[in-house]
Amino acid sequence: MTPEQKKANRRMGLTLASIALLFFIGFIVRMVYMGR
């Protein structure tokens, strides 16, 4: 694996992780608002 591939993989991983985190936060916020 070249350094360029590692960098691209890390960027892709961070992008996917941040998207998953946003979905998770949105889900929690929705549960809090629906719980009231």
Side-chain angles (χ1 to χ4, degrees), residues 3-19:
E4 288 84 12
Q5 284 175 321
K6 285 184 182 178
K7 195 183 295 180
N9 284 349
R10 190 180 303 131
R11 189 178 299 127
M12 176 105 105
L14 284 173
T15 302
L16 291 175
S18 57
I19 289 172

Side-chain angles (χ1 to χ4, degrees), residues 17-31:
S18 57
I19 289 172
L21 189 64
L22 283 174
F23 270 104
F24 189 62
I25 290 171
F27 180 74
I28 290 175
V29 168
R30 195 170 63 194
M31 290 299 286

